[in-house]
Amino acid sequence: MLRFSIRNIILFLILLLGFQYSFAQHKPWREKEMEVKIRFSSPEQVGLLGRMNLKGDIYNTHACMYLTPDELKKIDSARLDYSISIPDLNAWSAGFGKAMVPPGYYTFDQIKAIADSLATNFPDICSKVVYGFTPQFKELAALKISDNVSVDENEAEILFDGGIHGNEIGGSQNVIQFARDLCLAYGSDPITTGLVNNREIWLYYCVNPYGRDFMTRENGNMIDINRDYGYVWGAEGGSTGPFSQPESKALRDCQYSNQFVSYTNYHSGTETVSYPWSYRYSPTPDNAHIDALAGIYVSNSGYTSLPYGQGSQIMYLIQGSTKDFNYGCMGSVAWSMEISLDKQPAGPNIKHYYDINKSAMLALIEHSGYGIEGTITDAVTGIPLRASVWVGSNYPTFTDGDAGDYHKYMVPGTYALRFTANGYEPKEISNVIVHNMQSTVTDVQLQPLQSQYGYRTSISRIPNFNAQNPGDEGYSAACLGAPDQVNYSVGKGGYVTVDMQNPVQDEPGPDIRVYEGDASPEGYAVYALTTMDGYWNYIGSGVGTSDFDLTTAGIAEAQFILILDDNDGTANVNDAGFDLDAIGNIHAPIPDTLAHISGKVYDSNSGLALAGVVITLSDTILVTDTAGYYSYNPLRGGYSICASLQDYNTECDTVQLAPGEVATHDFYLNYNVGMPKTLPAGNFSVMPNPFTDRLNIQFAIEKAGRVKIYLSSVSGSGNITLTNDVYPAGSHAISVFPASLTGGILSPGMYILSMESAAMKQKCKLIKISGQ
């Protein structure tokens, strides 16, 4: 029990007041930091400013920079045309007082309250998922809006976020307003209702709550979150390492745990859509598809003129951005959308910027469902798989969630698709035709195969990367899957982290094989991580293709493998650094298509074991031994299993068996002396029993009359009439297919066959084991 003295309470109040005072005196910007607007008169000036590596945003015609007096001297020395728009950013930030934001805008707490209200009042279509907290205990969360919101359905997923730069406040405003409009319009507006019913819409409403509270670009650690991402991380924006901040980790976890077809990251400071790459000048392999979808957004917006293009071309070079990660690691169409020329448009313009983006957001949600889609399943069991979908040399798209579904936006054309999954044989399908504003469904079943290779990249670093050199492939996806002599050059002194999808276990002998993709062996070091943000456990160095043992690091398993170049050779040339082809698990699990099930059958009253009980499992019939025991090794999958014994009620259950699973399933049967024998003698008989599809029934009646024969489930789900006709006196034989009377489906299990006439009533037990 906690006990508080008067002295402790006073000390607590003093500390609380001190915290509130220091919070009020907090200076979120650097000492004497100012906002500076720079105007360009030539492309050379854009490049000159970019090479200074200063804080801010650089566009084609102007820049908005955040500079200290010493940094401003560099601008003077470069003879750039500038003006100081905010002389003291700390004073400017403090000027918003308790409101924390300019008039007309929501505070973070108000945005959160709206999100909570939507999740509370529209629970059927809106749920909130919390991914973390800031050091200031602010919640980092997203809203998911979809029908059947608690289920991961076979639907295209779309993500919008806002507020990654806290002083660019229009983005979060648009995202939370859009969430509200979707919820309110559902059920009344047919367009909104159709999109919510057929898509999964995610709205990450404020990436950087601290920045919004204090009107700063960075988070509370003065880190630019849009430079803190792990794909081609470049130590920009104050970032101390890939995903070094809780805000970037939380947003990454949202993205990593889903598979978004498209991702929009809202900013302000200009009006443009900038898509990957931002870290290099050469286009992505998916450039045609990304450009087309960006054109859809632009043409459906209300902007008079909204340029769109590759970020490095239409804006400036950056490393560690969210859009490059979402394309390079996740395979999503991704971009930054700059919604307004001003970082903080005046209050009366808030609605204007929302209105001219809303129609574009709706169009993006619709078109993100066009292209290719389908499900990837285990050919043996039908279980959905986590797999990769490749279209030529494009970056892979991944299946998502329990449904095993994939969705990729594609422009019309004819494509060859390749499907890969750890533990399964790859499969290729050619001549897949994509039509305009349609989705081509291609479902795939994969056969088991012993294999485990890299599933996707999660972090990469190329020091001194030569963005101008289009000949350096920079194709990180080349190191995924089985070795194929297509490789990813990690850069001189660079590294890449590969997610193996499932942990590699430490077994006797070497566990990991690193494959080099060319004929010139190069040096590197290997580290194993249990989590993406985990400790780098050194497991050895190698030259060329080499094997490594997790025992070296003293860890039992590792899901992430990091390859670090030995920093030998030359930078800024083609194929700089180690050429990584693949990473494989030497002890890849053998695909186990079998499971094991066993058990005993007991009398429910006495508890004694019952011998001779008929156990049916699909097409298989077993009989318990003298100890009432049975066992079987079926293929993995779902089954109806029944236990039947004369003079006992039959019991049936459903079991789902995973590969390699050892399952126990016991039965307790109730004695029933009133139940007739399975095969009546004399004037009524049925065969075969158990049956698959056809039933042959023989009966005899002494006098002409109506005979009704019907089949009923022991579960009481209804009767199936097999005949109800008038027959003459004598013996008769009929042959029937019960499933044909039920729409073609009759589930395996226990049934009762009944015969009724004017002179008699008889019953027998039947077991349906397979077929229709």
Side-chain angles (χ1 to χ4, degrees), residues 136-153:
Q136 297 78 33
F137 307 108
K138 296 288 187 176
E139 192 175 79
L140 300 167
L143 294 177
K144 176 187 176 184
I145 297 179
S146 183
D147 70 329
N148 303 315
V149 70
S150 62
V151 180
D152 189 0
E153 295 185 281

Side-chain angles (χ1 to χ4, degrees), residues 600-615:
K600 285 190 173 183
V601 183
Y602 301 92
D603 181 298
S604 62
N605 293 317
S606 67
L608 297 175
L610 297 175
V613 179
V614 176
I615 306 293

Side-chain angles (χ1 to χ4, degrees), residues 31 46 102 193 203 223 248 260 300 330 514 523 585 612 651 680 742 764:
E31 189 69 26
V46 180
T193 303
L203 301 140
I223 304 298
S248 53
F260 297 109
N300 283 275
M330 305 301 298
V514 177
N585 179 359
E651 295 291 336
T742 64
C764 72

Side-chain angles (χ1 to χ4, degrees), residues 25-43:
Q25 299 297 315
H26 179 60
K27 293 184 178 181
W29 298 86
R30 294 176 295 173
E31 189 69 26
K32 298 183 180 179
E33 191 167 4
M34 64 195 84
E35 181 182 273
V36 178
K37 298 290 181 67
I38 300 174
R39 293 164 291 278
F40 301 125
S41 58
S42 69

Side-chain angles (χ1 to χ4, degrees), residues 59 160-165 168 170-172 174-175 226 263-275 294 297-298 301-303 305-309 315 322-323 334-341 353-354 356-358 360-361 364:
Y59 312 108
F160 301 91
D161 76 36
I164 196 167
H165 292 149
E168 299 171 11
S172 288
N174 278 10
V175 169
N226 203 34
Y263 163 62
T264 302
N265 177 230
Y266 282 112
H267 294 256
S268 56
T270 189
E271 294 176 357
T272 189
V273 178
S274 70
Y275 52 70
Y297 189 99
V298 169
S301 73
Y303 291 90
S305 175
L306 183 60
Y308 61 97
M315 293 181 65
T322 60
K323 58 177 175 282
W335 54 57
S336 296
M337 169 60 199
E338 301 270 357
I339 65 173
S340 61
L341 296 176
Y353 284 109
Y354 173 67
I356 62 176
N357 278 278
K358 180 181 177 181
M361 297 169 82
L364 177 61

Side-chain angles (χ1 to χ4, degrees), residues 99-135:
M100 299 180 182
V101 291
Y105 287 95
Y106 297 129
T107 66
F108 171 77
D109 289 340
Q110 289 172 327
I111 291 175
K112 179 183 177 298
I114 294 171
D116 291 339
S117 175
L118 295 175
T120 299
N121 291 287
F122 300 92
D124 293 337
I125 63 167
C126 181
S127 66
K128 186 174 81 167
V129 182
V130 178
Y131 289 98
F133 294 87
T134 71

Side-chain angles (χ1 to χ4, degrees), residues 4 319 362 369 371 394 447 455 517 539 569 673 678 717:
F4 293 99
Q319 298 182 74
L362 293 171
N394 297 33
Q447 295 289 342
Y455 175 59
I539 60 173
V673 293
T678 301
S717 57

